[in-house]
Amino acid sequence: MTAEAFFLNHFPPAELFSGSLIEKNMKIKILLITLFCILSVQAQTVSFSFDDAPTPASSVMTGTERTALLLENLKKAGIDTAVFYCIGQHIVSESKERIDLYSQAGHLIANHSVTHGRIRNLTAKVYLDEIAAMDKVVSEYETGIKLFRYPFLDEGRTREERDSVRNGLHHLSYSNGYVTVDNYDWYINALYNNAVKEGKKIDMEKLKRLWLDHITGSIMFYDQIARKYLGRSPHHVLLLHENDLAAMFIDDLAEELKAAGWKFVSPKTAYSDPVASQIPDVLFNGQGRVAALANAMGVKPAELVQESEDEEYLDKIFAGCIIK
């Protein structure tokens, strides 16, 4: 029910302004409190997306082990449908079986190009050729979906590049697989893998806390930006990577989000949000849709990046996860 509908239903003008002055003031006070509750308690919803699938083996686990663990913990978390943005050159005989497993579990399979290159390094034509080639792979899956996520969230450094690819995506019947919540989960995972490779011992509880705080903090940060500049909390699309820490801790993340009142929606629901049709006319790369829309309104880039999206910042915290 909208605020206007609530107002008219519960406080018809004739009734609102009837009675003594004290009664009128009390009715207005009740109305204002009620409206505040309606407007402030907006839905907090999030969907889950994983980039760079199928990611090769790491110093921690094989790709097959990672997929098995991630599927197990997604099920435990109650995340019935996530979307996996796949890189063509990662899909070989063994790793293809991992994508098969994600699809068989009901998760969506989407397009992340063949080589994960940037437009400026490939040219718009080669870039679009890669998307078209990867579409043949995506279309093989029953859960394949025509969503393309720009590698590095880089939509082009010139308007010509940007618009050429946007037009090409439209011609291929693809939609932009944007994110609303960006973060540095990939960097924390790299710190962990490098430490293991170097034979260092890790306090896994501290590492989990670092990862969870960073991801939940990212969600809250970009939700606040959305509320401030868009006037509401949209269906969010969380950017994660198909890596070791996501596989290990996704169920813990889900538990914390649920405890904070967040609900999970499918990527299809998330991408039906009105922000999907709000195309920011800016060359603002490496950030999500919410930040780009705020930037298009004139908000400075420095205000649209959280403190923890910084390698030096994360280095210091990760150092505390090393067991001396």
Side-chain angles (χ1 to χ4, degrees):
M1 179 181 293
T2 65
E4 180 182 6
F6 182 92
F7 182 96
L8 293 175
N9 188 43
H10 291 80
F11 298 93
E15 181 178 327
L16 178 63
F17 295 104
S18 64
S20 66
L21 181 60
I22 293 178
E23 290 174 332
K24 291 177 184 177
N25 287 339
M26 181 60 68
K27 289 178 182 178
I28 292 173
K29 183 178 292 186
I30 293 173
L31 170 64
L32 292 175
I33 292 173
T34 305
L35 287 178
F36 174 79
C37 292
I38 292 173
L39 295 174
S40 62
V41 182
Q42 298 182 40
Q44 290 182 303
T45 58
V46 63
S47 67
F48 297 83
S49 67
F50 297 89
D51 277 10
D52 302 354
T55 302
S58 69
S59 58
V60 176
M61 63 182 77
T62 67
T64 301
E65 290 170 337
R66 184 186 307 116
T67 291
L69 181 60
L70 181 52
L71 282 171
E72 177 186 343
N73 284 335
L74 282 170
K75 185 175 182 179
K76 187 188 301 184
I79 301 171
D80 299 323
T81 308
V83 57
F84 288 84
Y85 287 92
C86 301
I87 299 176
Q89 66 182 9
H90 285 181
I91 301 178
V92 295
S93 57
E94 180 183 342
S95 60
K96 184 182 183 305
E97 294 177 3
R98 294 164 51 197
I99 303 303
D100 294 343
L101 288 172
Y102 289 134
S103 181
Q104 290 164 12
H107 301 295
L108 304 178
I109 307 302
N111 195 324
H112 203 33
S113 83
V114 174
T115 64
H116 199 265
R118 295 180 186 271
I119 301 171
R120 68 177 185 271
N121 295 333
L122 297 175
T123 75
K125 181 184 182 307
V126 174
Y127 195 84
L128 286 166
D129 286 344
E130 283 203 11
I131 298 171
M134 191 59 198
D135 177 58
K136 295 178 181 179
V137 178
V138 171
S139 62
E140 293 178 5
Y141 290 93
E142 185 176 345
T143 62
I145 187 169
K146 285 184 176 291
L147 287 172
F148 172 72
R149 176 162 294 167
Y150 289 81
F152 309 103
L153 302 182
D154 186 344
E155 297 190 26
R157 299 307 170 100
T158 68
R159 291 184 181 276
E160 183 180 5
E161 285 180 339
R162 184 198 69 185
D163 294 345
S164 292
V165 174
R166 283 182 177 177
N167 292 334
L169 286 175
H170 179 73
H171 180 73
L172 291 168
S173 300
Y174 262 80
S175 298
N176 186 338
Y178 64 83
V179 310
T180 63
V181 180
D182 189 23
N183 58 78
Y184 266 39
D185 75 309
W186 58 272
Y187 187 69
I188 302 173
N189 190 77
L191 290 174
Y192 171 50
N193 267 269
N194 289 337
V196 171
K197 192 180 299 183
E198 294 168 3
K200 296 178 180 177
K201 293 184 178 181
I202 312 295
D203 185 324
M204 294 306 295
E205 283 302 313
K206 288 185 178 180
L207 177 61
K208 179 168 70 174
R209 191 69 262 156
L210 164 59
W211 190 85
L212 289 173
D213 286 348
H214 178 66
I215 302 301
T216 56
S218 299
I219 294 171
M220 302 304 176
F221 178 82
Y222 287 106
D223 189 55
Q224 288 175 1
I225 287 177
R227 288 172 181 269
K228 182 174 182 179
Y229 296 107
L230 305 185
R232 66 187 185 88
S233 178
H235 289 311
H236 283 287
V237 180
L238 171 64
L239 170 62
L240 293 171
H241 288 78
E242 195 232 24
N243 58 32
D244 301 331
L245 295 185
M248 294 162 66
F249 302 142
I250 190 67
D251 55 327
D252 297 288
L253 174 63
E255 185 178 342
E256 294 208 354
L257 289 175
K258 289 176 182 176
W262 286 80
K263 298 184 182 300
F264 306 152
V265 296
S266 73
K268 287 184 178 180
T269 297
Y271 285 119
S272 69
D273 190 275
V275 298
S277 60
Q278 293 177 258
I279 314 300
D281 186 20
V282 290
L283 296 172
F284 181 64
N285 292 295
Q287 288 286 338
R289 175 62 57 91
V290 164
L293 288 170
N295 179 251
M297 296 176 187
V299 184
K300 295 179 180 179
E303 298 178 38
L304 301 172
V305 181
Q306 60 177 326
E307 181 184 27
S308 64
E309 288 181 78
D310 177 79
E311 295 179 11
E312 185 177 346
Y313 176 94
L314 293 171
D315 285 342
K316 292 178 181 177
I317 300 178
F318 181 77
C321 299
I322 305 295
I323 299 175
K324 304 299 184 180

